[in-house]
């Protein structure tokens, strides 16, 4: 689905030098490069504080821990997302309230989540799915109205920009109280192992995030709260510090591929191409189409026969996962989400277009539909 080797080959000299320098420095944990990368990312995102951590799931967990929520407090999240979003809510003894999403943008909206707000609701976790921002203006207004925290799960949308109705543009992940991301290798800004980060403009929240990620201590061996151990290691930071310089060009390559797919599929009425939200840029973490459910399996089989990678993100709504069965009744269902789980599929999307075989992919799909 991604071409990590082709991407590495283009920046190999820089990466190899940086990795070897880090090894020779022996500052494997919390070396100066970790701070340097955090600063670079703060500048790139236009956010006051970037706090690195071990992965995107930890980032979500630590973000929730920093808000002093109590067991039983409700946190609204989409039911059409990666499991991590709801998992950390449940892990902390909070109650995930799994929402519907807009069937065209795949994201939650203020209108969709408003009826789910109760006196126990304390936070909303919007996910900018596949690389496009949720309607953050609506969600932030709703959060203000009801006094709720907003944690943006930005694992799939780093580099995407959202424009408010007054014309102000912000990076996704910097709009809510806290934003989180993952540097998993296949993410848009991926390292060569695990990594993650949290973003905030609030100095008190930043202190809490940092303290919790570091065993609940601000001063070594004095532990204020029960924290955890979640660090971005120096080698990953060195790699990310180089890759950050390429993030915008990676996003534009992804957009070029997306446009080519759009144009190639415009005649195929059985497919719906991804809808763009007017006030957000798209960084195409995934290029995700919808197809009639009765055709999906045969198309996937056909693509696999032709060695074309294809994935379904995500085949099962979160509320149907056994792990979350105690939060819903057994007959609980959301029509839009069920339908998405039965209709979506994602095609390869690369930063190295020349290696992408995109023409072959689109030809084969046209052939499947006799176009
Ligand atoms: C990848 C991802 C995460 C988790 O990140 P990890 O680094 O794998 O822990 C969380 N949320 C979403 C939406 C993701 O895509």
């Amino acid at each position: 689905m991604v071409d990590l080797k082709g991407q590495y080959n283009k920046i190999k000299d820089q990466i190899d030098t940086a990795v070897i320098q880090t090894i020779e420095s022996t500052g494997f944990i919390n070396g100066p490069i970790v701070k340097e990368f955090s600063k670079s990312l703060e500048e790139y995102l236009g956010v006051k504080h970037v706090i690195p951590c071990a992965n995107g799931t930890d980032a979500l967990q630590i973000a929730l821990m920093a808000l002093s929520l109590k067991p039983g407090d409700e946190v609204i999240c989409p039911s059409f997302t990666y499991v991590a979003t709801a998992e950390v809510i449940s892990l902390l003894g909070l109650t995930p309230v799994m929402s519907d999403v807009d069937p065209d943008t795949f994201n939650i909206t203020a209108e969709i989540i408003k009826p789910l707000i109760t006196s126990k609701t304390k936070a909303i976790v919007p996910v900018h799915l596949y690389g496009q921002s949720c309607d953050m203006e609506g969600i932030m207004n709703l959060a203000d109205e009801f006094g709720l925290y907003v944690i943006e799960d930005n694992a799939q949308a780093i580099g995407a920009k959202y424009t408010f109705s007054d014309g102000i543009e912000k990076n996704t992940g910097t709009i809510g109280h806290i934003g989180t991301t993952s540097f998993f290798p296949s993410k848009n800004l991926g390292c060569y192992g695990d990594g993650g980060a949290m973003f905030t403009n609030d100095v008190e929240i930043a202190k809490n995030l940092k303290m919790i990620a570091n065993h609940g201590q601000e001063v070594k061996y004095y532990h204020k709260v029960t924290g955890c151990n979640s660090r971005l290691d120096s080698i990953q930071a060195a790699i990310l510090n180089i890759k950050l310089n390429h993030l915008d060009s990676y996003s534009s390559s992804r957009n070029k591929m997306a446009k080519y797919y759009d144009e190639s599929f415009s005649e195929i009425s059985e497919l719906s191409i991804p809808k763009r939200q007017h006030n957000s840029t798209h960084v195409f973490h995934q290029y995700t189409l919808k197809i009639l459910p009765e055709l999906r399996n045969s198309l996937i089989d056909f693509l696999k026969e032709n060695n074309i990678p294809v994935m379904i993100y995500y085949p099962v709504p979160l509320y149907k996962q056994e792990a979350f069965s105690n939060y819903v009744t057994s007959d609980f269902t959301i029509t839009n989400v069920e339908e998405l789980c039965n209709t979506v599929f994602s095609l390869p999307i690369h930063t190295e277009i020349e290696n992408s075989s995109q023409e072959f992919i689109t030809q084969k799909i046209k052939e499947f539909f006799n176009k």
Side-chain angles (χ1 to χ4, degrees), residues 76 78 99-117 124 126-127 133-140 142 277:
I76 296 172
S99 157
D100 196 1
V101 297
D102 179 280
D104 293 319
T105 63
F106 313 108
N107 282 329
I108 62 167
T109 66
E111 294 70 46
I112 292 171
I113 62 171
K114 190 172 180 182
L116 303 177
I117 296 174
I124 307 165
V127 179
S133 180
C134 295
D135 168 28
M136 286 308 291
E137 182 154 351
I139 291 170
M140 292 312 292
L142 194 67
Q277 190 154 318

Side-chain angles (χ1 to χ4, degrees), residues 55-57 81-82 84 127 153 155-156 182 187:
N55 57 67
T57 309
T81 176
Y82 184 55
V127 179
D153 183 345
Q156 300 191 1
S182 164
K187 297 285 157 88

Side-chain angles (χ1 to χ4, degrees), residues 64 67 69 73-77 97 108-110 113-126 136 138-152 175-178 205:
L64 285 166
L67 301 178
L69 308 182
D73 284 349
E74 293 176 0
V75 180
I76 296 172
C77 68
V97 176
I108 62 167
T109 66
I113 62 171
K114 190 172 180 182
L116 303 177
I117 296 174
T118 72
S119 58
K120 287 187 177 168
T121 309
K122 292 292 152 58
I124 307 165
V125 186
M136 286 308 291
I139 291 170
M140 292 312 292
N141 286 340
L142 194 67
D144 279 349
E145 186 183 340
F146 290 90
L148 310 175
Y149 287 112
V150 175
I151 300 173
E152 298 174 73
I175 301 165
H177 301 87
I178 307 174
I205 291 178

Side-chain angles (χ1 to χ4, degrees), residues 35 43 45 53-54 69 108 125 138 144 174 185 188 203 211 214 218 229 235 248 254 276 279 291 293 312 344:
K35 201 160 266 163
E43 266 165 43
L45 292 171
C53 66
L69 308 182
I108 62 167
V125 186
D144 279 349
T174 70
N188 288 34
V203 65
M211 175 171 74
N214 184 25
E218 274 171 339
N229 173 26
I235 290 179
D248 285 342
R254 289 169 178 277
R276 314 302 199 271
N279 47 0
I291 183 172
I312 297 173
V344 293

Side-chain angles (χ1 to χ4, degrees), residues 29-91:
I29 300 292
N30 286 334
I33 188 66
V34 179
K35 201 160 266 163
E36 202 181 307
F37 167 63
S38 303
K39 283 265 162 308
S40 317
L41 191 55
E42 282 164 6
E43 266 165 43
Y44 175 87
L45 292 171
V47 72
K48 288 199 182 116
H49 310 275
V50 166
I51 298 99
C53 66
N55 57 67
T57 309
D58 275 12
L60 285 164
Q61 182 187 323
I62 296 163
L64 285 166
M65 288 169 80
L67 301 178
S68 310
L69 308 182
K70 286 184 293 303
D73 284 349
E74 293 176 0
V75 180
I76 296 172
C77 68
S79 55
F80 187 66
T81 176
Y82 184 55
V83 66
T85 318
E87 183 179 38
V88 293
I89 300 171
S90 173
L91 186 74

